[in-house]
Amino acid sequence: MAMNRTINNITVVGTGVIGNGWIARFLAQGYDVVAFDPAVGAEERTRKAIDHAWTSLEQRGLALGASKDRLRFINTMEEAVAEADFIQENVPEREDLKKSVLGNIDRYAKPEAIIASSTSGIIPTTLQSNLQYPERFIVAHPFNPVYLLPLVEVVGGESTDAAIIKEACGLFEKVAMKPLVIHKEIDGHVADRLMEALWREALHLVNDGVATTEEVDTAIIYGAGLRWAQMGPFLTFHLAGGEQGMRHMLEQFGPALKLPWTKLKAPELTDALKERVIEGCESYAGNQSVADLEHKRNEFLVKLLDLVEEYWPESKSLVKE
């Protein structure tokens, strides 16, 4: 089914936080985007979200021809996907809902169009099981804010054509993303499983009275987080081993891995734990609204991405031939 063609027409189905992030990224890279979302007020919310993201996108650098005016909302699914070369689905994380929406997309889209889902946890084989053309379906899971963070996890299902994955990765690289192809399906993919492991331990620390939410955040901000932005956990530990790198690190610290430091199971999310987490976050945020915090986050990410690119200018594509 796959062919060497240029992907020009992009449709985004579902315009929540993630869908709007996709739209902003595609627009900033000079694409025309069609959006579909039957919710009342969807277009108004999307255009407001694009305005909010545009300052950061301008700081990162817009592609030639990039314009917020290249977005069109279409009132029916059939018309929205009819001419699309690539369709990104972003409806809420419910398997029955996603299957229903993907089925409609599959029915109305031209057979050669690529269909991608932003699902953070459902494996593609499950979502493509009832499609007429399952070979053109992939998971393309991004990270919030999608318009700034470059990682996108790309996963094919049992019926996915390998050429479709390659074509999709080509598109993602054109819109300044880092596609990470995951070759073995697993619930939650890779990045979210890593984040969930940290989140699970953070909840235990708060639940057991070991640390407050602010103290946990401080431990990450001024410790692991600074290193992970450049190297990630494996290369960080490679440096911890001195001249012999990871070999010495595992020989010296490997036995400690047997110690029961990790609780593995999440704590019961009781009302008391929820209130402790909520009150901790609200206290830590102080008078700053969520919008204020998002603005500061975006300013930080723009500067951080510039720094990452400065230190990894030779960064190679993650897509294996």
Side-chain angles (χ1 to χ4, degrees):
M1 168 184 285
M3 59 188 74
N4 292 323
R5 68 181 189 281
T6 301
I7 295 175
N8 291 318
N9 302 320
I10 293 175
T11 293
V12 174
V13 175
T15 58
V17 172
I18 299 301
N20 288 336
W22 277 115
I23 292 171
R25 178 174 283 276
F26 286 129
L27 291 174
Q29 294 299 321
Y31 283 84
D32 292 308
V33 181
V34 166
F36 171 75
D37 191 321
V40 175
E43 181 172 359
E44 181 182 356
R45 289 190 293 272
T46 291
R47 295 196 182 277
K48 183 177 179 180
I50 302 305
D51 288 339
H52 175 72
W54 210 251
T55 299
S56 298
L57 289 166
E58 288 177 326
Q59 291 171 344
R60 286 291 291 159
L62 300 175
L64 184 66
S67 172
K68 293 182 286 185
D69 295 332
R70 297 181 71 169
L71 169 65
R72 290 187 301 132
F73 259 76
I74 300 295
N75 293 327
T76 67
M77 173 78 82
E78 183 174 3
E79 186 181 356
V81 303
E83 299 301 321
D85 302 312
F86 181 89
I87 302 145
Q88 185 75 38
E89 169 272 313
N90 317 276
V91 301
E93 198 76 355
R94 297 200 333 257
E95 184 178 320
D96 58 342
L97 176 61
K98 282 193 176 290
K99 280 187 170 183
S100 174
V101 171
L102 289 168
N104 285 330
I105 294 173
D106 184 54
R107 182 178 305 113
Y108 296 128
K110 55 190 179 184
E112 66 270 23
I114 298 173
I115 301 175
S117 173
S118 292
T119 179
S120 60
I122 308 172
I123 63 173
T125 293
T126 297
L127 292 177
Q128 71 184 176
S129 60
N130 295 325
L131 300 184
Q132 183 180 3
Y133 301 107
E135 64 274 12
R136 44 94 166 262
F137 175 80
I138 61 169
V139 162
H141 173 234
F143 295 83
N144 186 43
V146 183
Y147 52 88
L148 288 179
L149 293 185
L151 183 65
V152 54
E153 295 176 315
V154 182
V155 197
E158 292 178 359
S159 300
T160 303
D161 185 339
I164 290 292
I165 294 176
K166 187 175 181 179
E167 274 198 271
C169 288
L171 170 65
F172 296 139
E173 289 179 336
K174 285 181 179 179
V175 295
M177 300 188 86
K178 287 285 185 183
L180 174 61
V181 179
I182 298 172
H183 298 282
K184 185 174 182 178
E185 293 179 271
I186 184 172
D187 293 333
H189 319 312
V190 171
D192 272 359
R193 292 183 72 92
L194 294 171
M195 289 189 289
E196 286 294 336
L198 181 60
W199 174 238
R200 180 175 59 239
E201 294 300 314
L203 287 176
H204 275 300
L205 292 171
V206 173
N207 190 54
D208 296 346
V210 176
T212 65
T213 56
E214 182 175 357
E215 289 166 346
V216 169
D217 281 1
T218 298
I220 296 298
I221 292 169
Y222 297 105
L226 288 173
R227 299 181 299 186
W228 288 346
Q230 184 188 14
M231 294 186 175
F234 281 109
L235 204 55
T236 293
F237 281 132
H238 181 61
L239 269 61
E243 291 184 2
Q244 296 181 31
M246 184 63 80
R247 184 176 301 278
H248 178 66
M249 185 272 180
L250 290 177
E251 289 175 353
Q252 181 173 354
F253 299 107
L257 298 176
K258 295 181 179 179
L259 295 176
W261 287 350
T262 301
K263 296 202 176 185
L264 296 178
K265 294 183 179 180
E268 186 69 28
L269 195 58
T270 62
D271 289 342
L273 176 55
K274 286 192 287 188
E275 285 305 310
R276 189 175 296 178
V277 170
I278 293 167
E279 289 173 7
C281 289
E282 291 176 345
S283 175
Y284 188 14
N287 294 325
Q288 300 175 99
S289 67
V290 170
D292 293 334
L293 292 171
E294 285 180 340
H295 180 71
K296 291 178 67 174
R297 176 202 64 191
N298 287 359
E299 284 189 338
F300 176 81
L301 286 175
V302 167
K303 294 178 180 179
L304 182 60
L305 284 167
D306 289 341
L307 191 61
V308 169
E309 290 167 3
E310 177 184 344
Y311 276 82
W312 291 102
E314 74 286 5
S315 180
K316 297 180 181 178
S317 171
L318 299 175
V319 181
K320 301 293 190 297
E321 292 295 333

